[in-house]
Each structure stands twice: as C-alpha cells, then as structure tokens.
Amino acid sequence: MIRPTLKSLLFLLLGLACWLAPANAFIPDTNDDSDGYPLTLVELNCENLFDCADDSLYNDNEWLPDAIRRWTPRKYWRKLNSIGQEIIACGEQADGSWALPDLVALSEVENDSVLVALSRRSLLRKAGYEYVMTQSNDERGIDVALLYSPFAFRLLHYHALRVVLPQGRHATRDILYAAGEVMNGDTLHVFVVHAPSRYGGERASRPFRLRVAERICQSIDSIRCHDAEARIIVAGDFNAYVAESSLRRYEQHGLVNVARNARGTHGARGTYRYQGEWGSLDQILTSPALAACLDSCYIFDAPFLMEKDDKYGGLQPRRTYRAYRYNGGYSDHLPLVARFRLRPRTGE
C-alpha cells in the first residue's frame, strides 16, 4: 500500500478549499495577455461511475447494493469525491500555482443523476461547472459528458452523434459534440468519444472504431465547410493505441494527436497499464490551428493515483476494483491534461 505523500495531502486540502470557497473564486482572469488566454482541458475515463439505482432499461445490475460488487451508497459517494479530487488536482500548474481545469471530457459515466451529484454535491460543488452529456443506447447505459466552466466556455449548442454498428452488434456510446465561445472570442468545437471496446480482439473490433472515426470526420467536414480554420478538439477513450488504424484515420483527416508523446512525471508512460505494459487508449486530437496554441500535454500521474503492481512490478493506476474485489481507488485510467494559450487568428 502506498502511504499518502505531502503532495497528495495538499491535493486533498485543495479539494476541501473548493468545497468551502465562494463560487466567484472560480472566475478566471480575463485580462488581455499578449501570450494568449489560458485554457486547460482534462480527459478522464472514470472507470464505471455508476449510481446505486437500478435502471430497468439498461444492464447495470452488478452496480447495485445487493449485487456481486456490493456497490453501496458509501462506495458511490467515495467514488464521486475521488473523481472530484482528481479533477481538482489536475489544476496544478508547472510553476506551482493552481487553477481549476476549464473543460473536462469524461467517459464511463452512467446518467444525468451521476453528473448532478458530481457537479453539485461532491468536492466539485463550488467549482461552478456546468455539463452536457449523451443518452446512448449502450447496453450498460454508460455515456460521455463534458464538464465546462461557463466563464471560460460559453456553450452555444450541443448534440449527440449516433454511430450505427452492424446488425447483431451491441449499440455503442454516442459521441458528444459541443460548441462554445472561448475567452479570445473564437468558437471551440469539442467532441467527446468513448469508442467501442477491444472485446474479441483488436482486429475483430477494429471496424467498429473506424465507424466512430468516420462519423466524427464527417462532422468535422461540416464544420470546415463554414470555417476552414476551425478550432477543434476530439478527446476521450478511443480504445486504440497511437499506431492503430482508427487513430491514423483522424490524422489523415488533418487532426494532430497532441497526446501522442504524453508522459507522466512519476513513471507513467501511458494512461493505462495492461499486464505490466503501459499504453495510452486515451487521446486528445486537435485541429492544426489549435495544436499551434498548445503549451503542454501530459499524463497526470500524481502518487495518490498510483499503487504497486504486485504481479508485474512497478506502479499502475489505482483502480476502484481489482476484478470483483473493492480497491477503493480512482480509475484504471490516468487523466490527460492539455494546456493551451488561445491567441487571436492571424490578421484579426
């Protein structure tokens, strides 16, 4: 077991500060800056952020108090506050200062009640986040969502993009699209994705992830018809590593994978660890115009998010469950953090 470090205790105190501070403490600095306006995006797979209520429309039966996982309200609220603490901690700056992330792309969140609890009743309750999310036909009822600070991202509109898979294949998660005005007056287009899993093997499941890529690329084409230099972000769990064809499809369509070489500062060489090997299933891709505004992109692998890997050695993400044994952790994925400096377009 990893003992709490001074840094992890500091993050907890920051979380408590968020809980106690007045809402106006979270209004970002809007003073003009020749270096551009800062914007921080966090991408995080929450690892099964389910509530404890049975939803008869979906297969969420194992996430009930009397089911095999014994998913009780106490565990659920601990998970909500853990995710809140994780998001707060991602606001740590390179110079030691701290500011809440402006946008948080979430996957594996069950429903609206979970997002209400996370944004209104957890450690994030005073952060002032608003959210939008999908309502997919996914068999288990999990969705994607976008938390956003209305002071940094003024929502203009949003909708879900449905991906139709071959007959006989379980429905996959919808893609979330949200457009908003950011601090430099430009419009930012954000897609949040949780692509089909690798169940059955990478090769057999690859066509389904390619369908997701095609659906997003079609939407990007529509955006570019109106604005060839549009600022675009595609973030989420792609269930694909950087060299695989579904990710190459985005790059062939003119997007830049700004997370391609992302690493942690405490040993993480990917956002996910499988059988002792690090890899990144989570990615952040942007349009070239936005990639030019990137300050940094890294994996947030603070010590409190990690634990010893007893089987393969080294460290791994501290997950909520190990198989069916409750582990009390955060997620089996580590978050990605991308920091941008938004500048006016050339000639404006």
Side-chain angles (χ1 to χ4, degrees), residues 200-245:
E202 189 281 325
R203 185 174 181 178
S205 58
R206 184 188 308 162
F208 312 129
R209 289 185 291 279
L210 283 169
R211 287 202 180 198
V212 171
E214 291 297 337
R215 185 69 180 89
I216 292 175
C217 289
Q218 289 170 6
S219 293
I220 290 174
D221 283 342
S222 297
I223 294 168
R224 286 174 172 166
C225 282
H226 298 281
D227 182 359
E229 296 297 319
R231 272 60 167 168
I232 299 168
I233 294 177
V234 184
D237 180 352
F238 290 75
N239 269 308
Y241 298 110
V242 291
E244 292 179 11
S245 57

Side-chain angles (χ1 to χ4, degrees), residues 264-276:
T265 57
H266 295 89
R269 299 188 301 277
T271 60
Y272 186 76
R273 200 166 193 243
Y274 178 68
Q275 294 183 352

Side-chain angles (χ1 to χ4, degrees), residues 86-120:
E86 188 170 1
I87 292 169
I88 291 165
C90 286
E92 183 189 21
Q93 310 284 323
D95 62 1
S97 62
W98 171 83
L100 276 169
D102 301 296
L103 300 169
V104 186
L106 300 173
S107 55
E108 290 200 19
V109 290
E110 184 185 13
N111 51 36
D112 187 74
S113 69
V114 169
L115 265 294
V116 169
L118 180 64
S119 62
R120 301 287 183 268

Side-chain angles (χ1 to χ4, degrees), residues 43 191-198 209 212-213 216 234-241 244 246-247 250 280-285 333:
E43 182 281 331
F191 295 86
V192 185
V193 59
H194 186 187
S197 77
R198 302 167 73 86
R209 289 185 291 279
V212 171
I216 292 175
V234 184
D237 180 352
F238 290 75
N239 269 308
Y241 298 110
E244 292 179 11
S246 60
L247 281 175
Y250 296 99
S280 287
L281 299 173
D282 307 271
Q283 312 289 340
I284 299 172
L285 299 104
H333 291 240

Side-chain angles (χ1 to χ4, degrees), residues 134-248:
T134 57
Q135 188 173 356
S136 305
N137 288 333
D138 175 80
E139 182 185 25
R140 297 196 302 145
I142 57 174
D143 287 289
V144 298
L146 179 70
L147 289 176
Y148 64 93
S149 166
F151 304 108
F153 182 84
R154 185 174 70 86
L155 184 70
L156 300 175
H157 56 267
Y158 75 97
H159 59 264
L161 304 174
R162 185 140 293 177
V163 179
V164 179
L165 297 183
Q167 188 172 6
R169 175 76 182 186
H170 292 306
T172 191
R173 278 76 56 174
D174 289 351
I175 302 154
L176 176 64
Y177 166 72
E181 183 180 352
V182 288
M183 302 280 276
N184 68 344
D186 208 343
T187 298
L188 182 65
H189 304 269
V190 182
F191 295 86
V192 185
V193 59
H194 186 187
S197 77
R198 302 167 73 86
Y199 182 77
E202 189 281 325
R203 185 174 181 178
S205 58
R206 184 188 308 162
F208 312 129
R209 289 185 291 279
L210 283 169
R211 287 202 180 198
V212 171
E214 291 297 337
R215 185 69 180 89
I216 292 175
C217 289
Q218 289 170 6
S219 293
I220 290 174
D221 283 342
S222 297
I223 294 168
R224 286 174 172 166
C225 282
H226 298 281
D227 182 359
E229 296 297 319
R231 272 60 167 168
I232 299 168
I233 294 177
V234 184
D237 180 352
F238 290 75
N239 269 308
Y241 298 110
V242 291
E244 292 179 11
S245 57
S246 60
L247 281 175
R248 291 201 306 271

